[in-house]
Amino acid sequence: MQWTDRIRQVKILLVAAAVVIAVASLLVSHFLVRDLSKEERHRMEVWAQALHALNEADETTDLTLVLSVIEGNNTIPVIVLNDEGGIDDFRNIKDTADVEHYARLMLRAGDTIRVDHQTVCYDESIMLKRLQAWPYVQLGIVLIFVVVAIFALLSSKRAEQNKVWVGLSKETAHQLGTPVSSLMAWVEMLKEQYPGDDLLPEMDKDVKRLQLIAERFSKIGSLPEPVDASMNEVLAHVVDYMDRRTSHKVQMVTQLPGHDVIVRMNASLFEWVIENLCKNAVDAMEGAGTITLTLTEEGQRVVIEVQDTGKGIRKKDVNNVFTPGFTTKKRGWGLGLSLAKRIVEEYHKGRIFVKQSEVGKGTTFRIEMARGG
């Protein structure tokens, strides 16, 4: 949970940094654009005065400075209109074929200066427009950076979790291997010495159960090869196992189609998933209630639903039930559902989620997988 909390803190810091950069960029850009806009307005007023001086000049007037000002405008688009709306002159306009339309846009924007019997219309320079657009480009870059950084953190977290899962699984399988082998040998010896003992078959079942658990952990630590298997049989095995190990107050109900539903899977691991869901359901029902296992086919998908009549899950906890370490029980490590999600989604390329949950009425988990065959 510490790693999860650290990731959450880093994500919050990254988002906060992005917001600060965004606000700062917009503020700085706003003030720069405002100042440059005022500067361009002042330049156009000087340009308009130079135009007025040119209009009022006679043969003796020195027009050197006036022409210098008029010819010096190489960046700001400008159109000079007469009182009839005709175009007397224009500058710095690339699309000369649509000057009249451009003039109407300038008039509508209100960027005009009245000089004698003419109206000087102008637009923002290309540099000013680029400066206005730059903060949004910068924000896009920052957003991409934040998304990539968060994705890298999540990938790092997932890779670390994978290493922990694999290491823990291999070590657990290794540690169980020796005592399980010894127990199997002792059971065989007891069978020879006490062939009529009624307890030995039950002991043998428990030892084989331990062997199955060790085998499952071994497969979790590797990449088990899936094969076509009957989902009906998997659910039947789970129901048989749960019936023998839960209170008679817990009723197991199955709703299965009349034919075998074939799914490409590792049956041993998938049984573990259904067992985890059923055990959680028994805990949620506090030892009394009904667990319903439903198997259906929807097109190319096979759907398994595990429904219980337990206490349900609070809405704020639904998104956390598959998080490693999360548990609402007083005892437990909170790894069962996380393990189930890993088996379904990473090993079987399926999907598992909480379909429905209501406090006081129960929960339904849904698993979707591709059909085999």
Side-chain angles (χ1 to χ4, degrees), residues 23 25 64 92 97 150 236 244 254 274 279 291 305 349 368:
V23 173
S25 297
T64 304
N92 306 319
I150 292 176
R244 289 187 281 109
T254 57
I274 305 301
K279 288 177 181 177
I291 300 175
E305 292 187 356
K349 309 304 178 185
E368 298 176 354

Side-chain angles (χ1 to χ4, degrees), residues 148-169:
V148 170
I150 292 176
F151 179 78
L153 285 170
L154 294 176
S155 298
S156 175
K157 171 189 172 184
R158 193 177 298 111
E160 183 168 326
Q161 286 181 343
N162 288 341
K163 289 180 181 179
V164 171
W165 277 117
V166 171
L168 177 63
S169 300

Side-chain angles (χ1 to χ4, degrees), residues 27-100:
L27 285 175
V28 171
S29 175
H30 170 73
F31 290 123
L32 285 175
V33 168
R34 184 191 64 182
D35 293 342
L36 283 177
S37 181
K38 289 181 179 179
E39 179 65 23
E40 289 192 352
R41 173 74 183 185
H42 176 69
R43 287 176 59 190
M44 291 311 303
E45 288 175 349
V46 173
W47 194 90
Q49 291 175 4
L51 180 63
H52 171 70
L54 181 63
N55 292 336
E56 297 294 326
D58 54 25
E59 297 178 354
T60 61
T61 305
D62 185 3
L63 299 176
T64 304
L65 181 59
V66 172
L67 294 176
S68 176
V69 171
I70 293 177
E71 297 295 335
N73 175 28
N74 298 314
T75 57
I76 303 175
V78 58
I79 301 174
V80 181
L81 302 177
N82 54 40
D83 287 341
E84 288 75 27
I87 298 173
D88 289 344
D89 192 14
F90 59 87
R91 291 177 178 273
N92 306 319
I93 297 177
K94 294 180 179 179
D95 188 6
T96 58
D98 203 13
V99 177
E100 293 183 359

Side-chain angles (χ1 to χ4, degrees), residues 40-323:
E40 289 192 352
R41 173 74 183 185
H42 176 69
R43 287 176 59 190
M44 291 311 303
E45 288 175 349
V46 173
W47 194 90
Q49 291 175 4
L51 180 63
H52 171 70
L54 181 63
N55 292 336
E56 297 294 326
D58 54 25
E59 297 178 354
T60 61
T61 305
D62 185 3
L63 299 176
T64 304
L65 181 59
V66 172
L67 294 176
S68 176
V69 171
I70 293 177
E71 297 295 335
N73 175 28
N74 298 314
T75 57
I76 303 175
V78 58
I79 301 174
V80 181
L81 302 177
N82 54 40
D83 287 341
E84 288 75 27
I87 298 173
D88 289 344
D89 192 14
F90 59 87
R91 291 177 178 273
N92 306 319
I93 297 177
K94 294 180 179 179
D95 188 6
T96 58
D98 203 13
V99 177
E100 293 183 359
H101 176 68
Y102 200 1
R104 287 195 295 271
L105 293 178
M106 291 178 178
L107 287 170
R108 194 177 305 161
D111 296 329
T112 60
I113 300 173
R114 185 69 178 172
V115 179
D116 299 331
H117 299 289
Q118 294 176 314
T119 302
V120 177
C121 306
Y122 68 94
D123 194 8
E124 296 172 341
S125 64
I126 295 177
M127 182 181 298
L128 186 58
K129 290 181 177 180
R130 288 176 179 173
L131 184 59
Q132 289 174 332
W134 168 245
Y136 300 100
V137 175
Q138 189 177 26
L139 292 180
I141 295 172
V142 171
L143 180 61
I144 292 173
F145 168 77
V146 171
V147 171
V148 170
I150 292 176
F151 179 78
L153 285 170
L154 294 176
S155 298
S156 175
K157 171 189 172 184
R158 193 177 298 111
E160 183 168 326
Q161 286 181 343
N162 288 341
K163 289 180 181 179
V164 171
W165 277 117
V166 171
L168 177 63
S169 300
K170 288 184 176 180
E171 183 63 21
T172 303
H174 175 72
Q175 293 294 337
L176 286 174
T178 302
V180 169
S181 298
S182 298
L183 287 172
M184 293 176 67
W186 281 109
V187 169
E188 293 302 320
M189 291 177 61
L190 289 173
K191 285 181 180 179
E192 292 179 2
Q193 295 184 17
Y194 306 99
D197 196 315
D198 294 335
L199 295 178
L200 288 179
E202 294 301 321
M203 290 178 62
D204 187 46
K205 289 181 181 178
D206 288 336
V207 171
K208 288 182 178 178
R209 178 69 183 176
L210 287 174
Q211 185 182 21
L212 176 62
I213 292 173
E215 179 186 352
R216 287 173 172 174
F217 274 111
S218 177
K219 290 177 179 178
I220 283 290
S222 60
L223 293 174
E225 184 67 26
V227 297
D228 287 347
S230 171
M231 184 62 73
N232 306 59
E233 293 182 5
V234 168
L235 298 181
H237 290 166
V238 173
V239 170
D240 181 63
Y241 171 76
M242 295 298 298
D243 274 339
R244 289 187 281 109
R245 286 165 174 78
T246 54
S247 167
H248 65 278
K249 295 181 181 179
V250 175
Q251 183 181 7
M252 300 289 296
V253 178
T254 57
Q255 297 176 355
L256 310 178
H259 60 279
D260 277 347
V261 177
I262 304 301
V263 177
R264 193 164 184 79
M265 61 180 168
N266 182 286
S268 177
L269 287 181
F270 202 81
E271 283 184 20
W272 203 358
V273 172
I274 305 301
E275 285 177 15
N276 271 325
L277 295 178
C278 290
K279 288 177 181 177
N280 283 344
V282 171
D283 292 337
M285 297 187 302
E286 298 180 347
T290 302
I291 300 175
T292 304
L293 301 178
T294 305
L295 174 62
T296 57
E297 295 175 281
E298 297 180 359
Q300 294 301 314
R301 294 186 305 177
V302 173
V303 177
I304 305 99
E305 292 187 356
V306 180
Q307 181 181 9
D308 64 59
T309 56
K311 56 186 178 182
I313 305 171
R314 294 179 298 181
K315 288 185 177 180
K316 68 176 185 177
D317 293 333
V318 168
N319 293 331
N320 298 320
V321 294
F322 296 106
T323 303

